[in-house]
Amino acid sequence: MGFIDELMNATIESLSKAATNAFSTVVISSQDNTKINLIKTELTEINVELDATYSLIGKKYVEYVSESDEMPGIDIKDLLKIMEPKLEKKNEFETQLIALEKKIKEQGITQEKERFENEFKHQKENLDKAKEMDIISEDDYDEKLKQYTKKRNNFQAIRNVKKQYELGIISYEELQMKLRELT
């Protein structure tokens, strides 16, 4: 009974860690998405205010041209002073937005790589068991391990090829051919 108890405890502990990691990831991702939505809302508000100011500039220009029949410059320094802090704020928000979106993307890649790594470990454990039980030969073991290792080592290249297909850069046939080469 001791072995089964140890196995159950290890399994429960493993599941608990996985659930905790998943929950933490969801919470962080949710917080980041909330920040992104707030920044996008702020950007929308700033753009509305800037558009109104741009309209005022256009209106002043049209009035001046209509009244004077000339096309020289007009004085909009007062409007530019109003716009300047909004443009700065807009640039700040855009920079924050890019940083958050990059962070979320990197978290996704890290999680995908972690899943890939766990899959590799699981496959290797199964190969090790099969080899120990004489279910597969040493040559079969080495060949399978080589395939799994190649797939793991080409993780980023596989991601890139899939992205190329998603973006329509390569055809389905090219995708399949490149994936065969990488795995």
Side-chain angles (χ1 to χ4, degrees):
M1 269 312 239
F3 173 73
I4 292 175
D5 289 338
E6 286 178 27
L7 182 61
M8 286 188 58
N9 285 338
T11 303
I12 290 169
E13 184 177 323
S14 176
L15 288 173
S16 175
K17 284 181 184 177
T20 302
N21 287 342
F23 180 73
S24 296
T25 301
V26 167
V27 168
I28 290 170
S29 180
S30 176
Q31 289 172 342
D32 288 341
N33 284 332
T34 300
K35 287 178 187 175
I36 286 174
N37 289 334
L38 288 172
I39 290 172
K40 285 183 176 180
T41 301
E42 289 288 331
L43 279 172
T44 300
E45 290 174 12
I46 289 172
N47 283 330
V48 167
E49 292 172 6
L50 288 173
D51 287 343
T53 308
Y54 291 140
S55 293
L56 288 173
I57 292 170
K59 184 178 177 183
K60 274 190 171 187
Y61 183 78
V62 170
E63 287 173 359
Y64 181 82
V65 170
S66 297
E67 291 173 7
S68 68
D69 275 340
E70 293 181 15
M71 295 296 267
I74 57 172
D75 185 22
I76 56 168
K77 290 179 185 170
D78 57 333
L79 294 174
L80 291 176
K81 284 182 181 177
I82 294 171
M83 290 176 65
E84 191 174 311
K86 292 176 185 172
L87 288 170
E88 288 175 6
K89 193 107 172 141
K90 179 182 176 183
N91 288 337
E92 286 176 30
F93 283 138
E94 287 173 342
T95 302
Q96 289 176 7
L97 186 62
I98 289 168
L100 282 171
E101 288 174 339
K102 183 177 179 181
K103 178 183 173 187
I104 288 173
K105 180 182 175 190
E106 288 171 355
Q107 285 174 343
I109 291 170
T110 302
Q111 289 172 346
E112 187 177 342
K113 190 167 189 168
E114 194 174 292
R115 281 192 303 270
F116 216 72
E117 199 60 43
N118 288 337
E119 181 182 322
F120 172 80
K121 287 177 185 176
H122 180 70
Q123 290 168 336
K124 185 174 181 329
E125 288 171 2
N126 287 341
L127 280 176
D128 290 343
K129 287 178 191 175
K131 186 175 124 183
E132 287 176 19
M133 297 170 64
D134 290 326
I135 295 174
I136 61 172
S137 69
E138 185 72 33
D139 290 339
D140 289 339
Y141 174 86
D142 291 339
E143 183 63 31
K144 286 289 186 186
L145 186 59
K146 184 177 159 184
Q147 285 175 348
Y148 294 149
T149 303
K150 183 178 180 183
K151 188 175 179 181
R152 181 185 67 176
N153 292 344
N154 290 326
F155 167 78
Q156 190 60 47
I158 291 169
R159 276 186 46 79
N160 291 343
V161 167
K162 289 178 179 179
K163 278 290 185 199
Q164 290 173 9
Y165 175 70
E166 288 174 14
L167 295 172
I169 297 171
I170 61 173
S171 68
Y172 181 75
E173 292 77 23
E174 289 173 305
L175 169 70
Q176 294 303 316
M177 181 185 70
K178 288 182 178 193
L179 287 178
R180 277 193 297 278
E181 292 171 6
L182 294 170
T183 57

